[in-house]
Amino acid sequence: MLKDIFYYYNQSLLKILGFTILVILPVQIFLYGWIYYFNQLDLNRIETVLALYVYVLMFILTMKPFLELYKHLKINEDYSLKSMLKTFISSFGFVFFGSMIIFLLSYIGTTLFIIPGLILLTIAFFLPFYNDGEDNFKLLAKKAVHFYKSRFFSIHRDVILLASINLLVWALFVNGIAQFDMNLITYTILRILINLFIFPLIYFYLAERYEDVAEV
């Protein structure tokens, strides 16, 4: 599976770079600005939760075009950069407002007991999969419940695995530059650069693992 992921990644590298520069980079700069803002607030640790939600939103907002790109690559069909931009625009509202609802429910669940809140949060990672241009939120909820019942342990294992890999890559990178004097803005820029490389790979991995999600 990993061999296929890297093969398709290399095959579409120019499109990935183009979409990264045009969309992912501006989106991450904007959202990291909000994370930086939340970290300056003293809201009795709520700012940490808000920053987490923004980071999840950052991850899922740009996922859908890569899911479509990977699907077309596997059947040897062309999927242009223009098509990726159209997919991003058409899926933005669904993913954004769907994530806001899930974040709200997750926060309520976390205040009651942390496990329900975290479980609800993982649903957000699959919002781009459910969006096929016709779904409403009622159908989304139905698909999500069905999918989680059938692959509950699998999807949580993958979310934990990918989050751990992301943190490990960041920790190794930070350790390598620890001797340099860097401020928060510099660290944020470096974090964005790492995300620009690792996010498309994670998107392709999820596309390979859960390409049939929308069919449940």
Side-chain angles (χ1 to χ4, degrees), residues 8 70-78:
Y8 291 126
Y70 192 80
K71 180 172 67 176
H72 283 77
L73 287 170
K74 289 193 69 174
I75 58 178
N76 199 29
E77 287 186 356
D78 181 56

Side-chain angles (χ1 to χ4, degrees), residues 198-209:
I198 199 171
F199 275 13
L201 286 173
I202 295 177
Y203 295 155
F204 277 12
Y205 172 83
L206 291 175
E208 178 67 27
R209 287 275 289 153

Side-chain angles (χ1 to χ4, degrees), residues 132-146:
D132 59 8
E134 299 180 359
D135 291 356
N136 55 36
F137 287 109
K138 182 178 180 179
L139 184 55
L140 163 65
K142 182 178 179 180
K143 285 184 176 182
V145 170
H146 187 132

Side-chain angles (χ1 to χ4, degrees), residues 16 24 31 88 95 150 175 208-209:
I16 292 174
I24 299 182
L31 293 179
F88 170 73
V95 175
S150 61
N175 185 65
E208 178 67 27
R209 287 275 289 153

Side-chain angles (χ1 to χ4, degrees), residues 9 24 29 100 106-107 158 172 191 194:
Y9 183 91
I24 299 182
I29 291 175
M100 291 300 105
S106 173
Y107 181 75
D158 280 335
L172 291 174
R191 179 81 235 192
I194 291 176

